Amino acid sequence: MEFNDSKKINWFPGHMTKALRMMEENLSLCDSVVYVLDARAPFACINPKLNQICKNKPILYILNKSDLIEANDLSKIIQVFKGEGSNVISTVGTDLKDGKSVYSTVIALLSDKINAKKAKGITKTVRVMVCGIPNTGKSTIINSLSGKRQAQTGDKAGVTKGKQWIKVYDMELLDTPGTMPPSMDNQLYARHLAFIGSINDNILDLEGLCLDFIKELTQKHAGVLNKKYGVTETDSPLQIYEGICKARGFLMRGGEFDYERCSKAVFDDFRKGRLGKICLENSPT
Ligand SMILES: Nc1nc2c(ncn2[C@@H]2O[C@H](COP(=O)(O)OP(=O)(O)OP(=O)(O)O)[C@@H](O)[C@H]2O)c(=O)[nH]1
Ligand SMILES: [Mg+2]
């Protein structure tokens, strides 16, 4: 089997144009922005279009899915954000305690504004827009923060379709659909977003991407594929791919390799943390 270089990745369906417009329209109602990133690829999760829309509001960056990376990678990433003067915390979206810490950090960030209102006898309702790339855990964090399953969640890109305001005590949170940049100039970042499940699998060449993933893992995370599938990492990426097919029994009638099933299984293993804690980026490229 021969693999062509995987195609340029770009995913910007019409509903994202609509979602970005909705965010622009609603931002003036909001006091701050909670910008949710996937800790496995936090720099790929920065959408310049979103930053442009939010530039006049205080932003709290959330490194979510921090359970899927090692603590030393997490601290390196936090240093990068802090070094740029950004507000940042890490979370496990499903953890109620982390939901509460998102709440208290936002309140602390806006304390001057809240106290100024309080001095005039007004209890301020704090409005927060929760945004980010698809599948980073925005709706999950809102549910943990509110203690109720109010926002729909799911392990694929594009679960939230429209806007939804959710009230928690004196805070109103705007859940928004995940949005991609209109064009992805950095294709390494685009591949990372594809690997972590932030791009709709149906538009991707998963078989070609799996080969890219194997190349990246053998170069930057030696030992991971050997440990999980028993393959020899000094082999070529295609031989490793075929080794995984053999190890997992992904063979078609006639003994041909079932690359498609294999790619789905490898990405499923990675996305669910079954390859171990793997951080694709702990600094910007
Ligand atoms: N391991 C892990 N999984 C998480 C975490 N937070 C969320 N998830 C899972 O990630 C998946 C996506 O979560 P959602 O909350 O639907 O993500 P979203 O950002 O709202 O996605 P869209 O609405 O599609 O943009 C779900 O399967 C969640 O259970 C986390 O901290 N760790
Ligand atoms: Mg959502």
Side-chain angles (χ1 to χ4, degrees):
M1 167 99 173
E2 275 191 25
F3 281 90
N4 300 318
D5 284 346
S6 52
K7 287 194 303 275
K8 185 165 192 265
I9 301 170
N10 222 20
W11 184 45
F12 193 67
H15 78 261
M16 290 190 191
T17 313
K18 226 170 106 188
L20 286 166
R21 200 177 309 130
M22 176 278 285
M23 285 185 231
E24 264 177 310
E25 285 163 7
N26 282 272
L27 199 67
S28 59
L29 303 172
C30 296
D31 303 290
S32 82
V33 171
V34 163
Y35 196 136
V36 183
L37 314 167
D38 187 315
R40 292 168 300 174
F43 304 100
C45 284
I46 298 290
N47 176 351
K49 181 72 192 169
L50 262 185
N51 288 64
Q52 188 201 326
I53 291 175
C54 305
K55 67 177 185 293
N56 294 325
K57 297 285 171 181
I59 299 177
L60 172 62
Y61 288 100
I62 308 272
L63 297 166
N64 192 41
K65 307 203 182 186
S66 60
D67 54 316
L68 298 177
I69 68 168
E70 298 286 358
N72 64 334
D73 285 317
L74 185 59
S75 45
K76 280 184 192 154
I77 298 165
I78 289 176
Q79 286 319 311
V80 174
F81 277 86
K82 288 200 168 153
E84 288 170 354
S86 301
N87 307 298
V88 64
I89 58 167
S90 66
T91 55
V92 176
T94 44
D95 188 329
L96 295 186
K97 176 174 56 58
D98 287 2
K100 298 282 173 291
S101 81
V102 174
Y103 174 87
S104 51
T105 311
V106 171
I107 296 289
L109 205 64
L110 297 171
S111 59
D112 286 353
K113 207 168 172 179
I114 295 168
N115 291 336
K117 293 271 182 191
K118 213 183 255 170
K120 291 184 194 160
I122 304 165
T123 309
K124 180 164 172 48
T125 300
V126 171
R127 292 196 183 84
V128 181
M129 192 173 86
V130 182
C131 65
I133 294 283
N135 200 38
T136 51
K138 300 174 286 300
S139 305
T140 305
I141 290 173
I142 292 176
N143 286 340
S144 289
L145 197 155
S146 77
K148 291 189 214 134
R149 277 195 53 86
Q150 302 197 59
Q152 200 192 340
T153 64
D155 65 350
K156 59 177 190 179
V159 172
T160 303
K161 303 279 187 231
K163 71 168 182 179
Q164 186 182 4
W165 283 100
I166 290 163
K167 189 157 170 49
V168 188
Y169 321 117
D170 50 353
M171 188 179 281
E172 286 181 13
L173 295 135
L174 178 61
D175 192 13
T176 65
T179 45
M180 294 283 294
S183 81
M184 291 285 313
D185 301 327
N186 184 331
Q187 283 292 299
L188 176 69
Y189 282 169
R191 283 196 294 279
H192 287 176
L193 294 182
F195 297 162
I196 63 175
S198 284
I199 297 180
N200 185 344
D201 279 343
N202 296 332
I203 68 117
L204 294 169
D205 161 25
L206 281 184
E207 295 168 43
L209 267 180
C210 188
L211 202 59
D212 292 329
F213 185 58
I214 289 169
K215 279 182 206 161
E216 185 162 338
L217 282 189
T218 49
Q219 283 164 14
K220 299 186 197 157
H221 302 272
V224 165
L225 292 174
N226 171 267
K227 187 167 171 219
K228 177 71 183 166
Y229 306 111
V231 290
T232 307
E233 295 192 5
T234 46
D235 283 352
S236 73
L238 184 56
Q239 284 168 326
I240 295 174
Y241 200 164
E242 293 174 348
I244 301 172
C245 287
K246 270 190 239 163
R248 297 289 303 265
F250 295 137
L251 303 171
M252 296 192 285
R253 222 176 288 157
E256 278 187 37
F257 298 111
D258 191 341
Y259 297 100
E260 190 188 342
R261 259 181 81 204
C262 184
S263 66
K264 287 186 178 148
V266 168
F267 285 128
D268 200 47
D269 284 342
F270 169 61
R271 291 170 188 173
K272 300 220 167 100
R274 291 193 294 256
L275 296 184
K277 297 191 178 206
I278 296 172
C279 181
L280 299 169
E281 309 157 358
N282 58 22
S283 60
T285 22

